[in-house]
Amino acid sequence: MTTLVIAEHDNAQLKGATLNAVAAAAKIGGDVHVLVAGANARAVADQAAAAAGVAKVLLADAAQLADGLAENVAAQVLAVASNYSHILFPATASGKNVAPRVAAKLDVAQISDIIGVESADTFQRPIYAGNAIATVQSADAVKVITVRTTGFDAVAAQGGSAAVEEIAAVADSGLSTFVSREVAKSDRPELAGARVVVSGGRGLGSAENFKILDPLADKLGAALGASRAAVDAGYAPNDWQVGQTGKIVAPQLYVAVGISGAIQHLAGMKDSKVIVAINKDPEAPIFGVADYGLVGDLFQVVPELTGAL
Ligand code: FAD
């Protein structure tokens, strides 16, 4: 029994989500290998080899793998799939793009978004926006799995000394081509992996008012997030959305400001270690999950809190 984890990276840095997927793989048992498919990605392979619990790193290095095109990456995974009992992807946008292609080609049922491993064939995954946890058992010969990264504490980035094996890269599928990439630039931590998140909701009232959260986030070294209502109203950019149809986060500290706590929002943040809610309505459902609740007008409370910090 050997598990293959598909690394997420930008050809220079291994993304943290990979280390969460390695942690899930370790719980399955057996050896853990990591596949790095990229271009000039040797540094990424070396980082993966240093991760705790990794026994071997496969490096497929070629220009056609530079941009993570799902068709090419899926073909690369399929080229080595027969050696593995389990193939794990972080449940990120790119992992969710590649995994179903691999599962379909292998004619197996994908197991999506696992948050727990009971045994080598039995896994836990949230359903109904996190209101219930399903325990699913798979009889497929190869388990193709996406891992909800917040469900598993990342393995240490250092401490391992796996060998890196270069493997032949698959040919370009020719099915898609990379055109361009627009990356949002921010000095703040990446939302999905941030230790602290400050999120704003419709209670902020406008994009201008949303800026009241900046000094608080600065003080806390936090990423900024938002409810869907705030995003839909144009107060915050789309990629800040936290929730069922946004990002799933589980930081050490989540500060929800002017957010009511709709179930679809809770689905994205209720596993945060400490939740602080600021809302003028004492009946707001967010207080049901909050460790610390402050009933008050955010326009008064947030500057006071920032000042006190
Ligand atoms: P509201 O519910 O309008 O709450 C605003 C809060 O601000 C209120 O509690 C109010 O008391 C408080 N407030 C107002 N003024 C002040 C003030 N001055 N001081 C302090 N507090 C104040 N939502 C998400 O967030 N993420 C998702 O991924 C998501 N996915 C969805 C998927 C589906 C299929 C559906 C149907 C809905 C989804 N939603 C999602 C929407 C969700 O149902 C809610 O509509 C949304 O979360 C509400 O956002 P909100 O809490 O900012 O707004």
Side-chain angles (χ1 to χ4, degrees), residues 100-149:
R101 300 168 196 271
V102 172
K105 287 282 190 188
L106 293 175
D107 198 19
V108 299
Q110 178 181 306
I111 306 160
S112 302
D113 233 9
I114 65 162
I115 56 166
V117 174
E118 289 203 352
S119 70
D121 66 0
T122 307
F123 309 92
Q124 291 176 333
R125 58 181 301 268
I127 55 173
Y128 306 132
N131 277 316
I133 307 298
T135 301
V136 293
Q137 187 171 33
S138 164
D140 284 327
V142 184
K143 310 320 182 222
V144 175
I145 294 170
T146 60
V147 177
R148 183 175 287 199
T149 53

Side-chain angles (χ1 to χ4, degrees), residues 201-203 226-230 241-246 258-262 264-265 278-281 284 296-299:
R202 185 154 35 200
S227 71
R228 176 161 161 180
Q241 186 176 316
V242 170
Q244 185 187 338
T245 44
I259 292 178
S260 61
Q264 297 89 354
H265 188 79
I278 299 170
N279 197 304
K280 68 178 182 185
D281 173 11
D297 184 343
L298 70 91
F299 295 105

Side-chain angles (χ1 to χ4, degrees), residues 199-206 209-213 216 235 255-260 277-281 294-306:
S199 265
R202 185 154 35 200
L204 270 301
S206 71
N209 290 347
F210 218 86
K211 293 189 186 131
I212 198 176
L213 301 181
L216 179 60
Y235 305 169
V255 185
V257 182
I259 292 178
S260 61
I278 299 170
N279 197 304
K280 68 178 182 185
D281 173 11
L294 188 49
V295 178
D297 184 343
L298 70 91
F299 295 105
Q300 186 191 334
V301 166
V302 170
E304 273 181 24
L305 178 60
T306 309

Side-chain angles (χ1 to χ4, degrees), residues 176-193:
S176 59
T177 42
F178 177 77
V179 177
S180 69
R181 172 180 288 122
E182 280 179 40
V183 183
K185 289 197 181 65
S186 167
D187 293 335
R188 298 194 185 283
E190 198 191 343
L191 177 57

